[in-house]
């Protein structure tokens, strides 16, 4: 019983330290990260699906984009997600202040290199929805 309690306490402390080390949003309180995203910001939701048998290869060339895009000062938000039920089906969620920043991002050499590899790995290329962020009145 005491060992179980110590393990549970250790797990809670570890989880707390991971989330607190996660960055400013966790330390500043709920929702504070949204302040940097203005009404009208340029958002993109994109998807790409691997060709059968190419899931691991597409994942391998796509994962490095996370650090590269998040390192771009013009990028406000970037998430890469993979469908748990269909490995190799990726969804990108990106926010930039405006369309010009997004287009500059697409022109970056590492993005162009990624696009150049897609014909061999992706089924049908990238499908993109260009969106506008809507913020509450008064923002």
């Amino acid at each position: 019983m005491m060992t179980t309690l110590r393990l549970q306490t250790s797990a809670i402390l570890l989880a707390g330290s991971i989330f607190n080390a996660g960055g400013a949003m966790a330390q500043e309180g709920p929702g504070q990260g949204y302040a940097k995203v203005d009404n009208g910001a340029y958002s993109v939701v994109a998807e790409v699906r691997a060709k059968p048998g190419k899931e691991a290869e597409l994942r391998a060339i796509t994962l490095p984009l996370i650090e590269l895009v998040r390192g771009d000062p013009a990028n406000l938000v970037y998430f890469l997600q993979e469908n748990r039920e269909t490995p190799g089906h990726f969804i990108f969620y990106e926010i930039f202040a405006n369309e010009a920043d997004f287009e500059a991002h697409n022109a970056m050499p590492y993005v162009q290199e990624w696009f150049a590899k897609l014909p061999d790995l992706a089924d049908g290329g990238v499908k993109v929805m260009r969106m506008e962020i809507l913020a509450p009145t008064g923002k």
Side-chain angles (χ1 to χ4, degrees):
M1 172 85 170
M2 195 59 122
T3 303
T4 302
L5 182 58
R6 273 187 252 155
L7 287 173
Q8 289 173 341
T9 302
S10 296
I12 291 168
L13 291 173
L14 177 61
S17 67
I18 289 169
F19 286 111
N20 283 335
M25 284 179 51
Q27 294 173 0
E28 294 174 10
Q32 295 302 307
Y34 297 111
K36 68 180 183 175
V37 180
D38 290 331
N39 192 37
Y42 199 81
S43 170
V44 172
V45 178
E47 81 175 309
V48 64
R49 294 175 188 260
K51 289 181 177 178
K54 299 289 186 173
E55 297 86 356
E57 198 172 344
L58 181 57
R59 184 180 307 106
I61 69 158
T62 304
L63 283 172
L65 294 176
I66 298 169
E67 187 174 338
L68 292 166
V69 177
R70 288 182 179 178
D72 180 344
N75 175 256
L76 301 176
V77 173
Y78 182 84
F79 287 103
L80 171 63
Q81 303 160 89
E82 185 172 10
N83 188 328
R84 293 176 189 264
E85 296 174 6
T86 311
H89 177 198
F90 298 96
I91 301 289
F92 301 82
Y93 182 70
E94 310 174 40
I95 301 177
F96 294 86
N98 53 55
E99 185 177 8
D101 286 350
F102 174 69
E103 295 304 336
H105 154 73
N106 275 344
M108 297 295 288
Y110 64 87
V111 176
Q112 291 299 306
E113 290 170 16
W114 182 80
F115 275 116
K117 295 174 183 175
L118 288 184
D120 293 332
L121 304 176
D123 188 12
V126 180
K127 296 177 185 170
V128 178
M129 288 190 303
R130 295 166 183 257
M131 311 293 282
E132 178 179 352
I133 296 294
L134 303 176
T137 305
K139 167 105 172 83

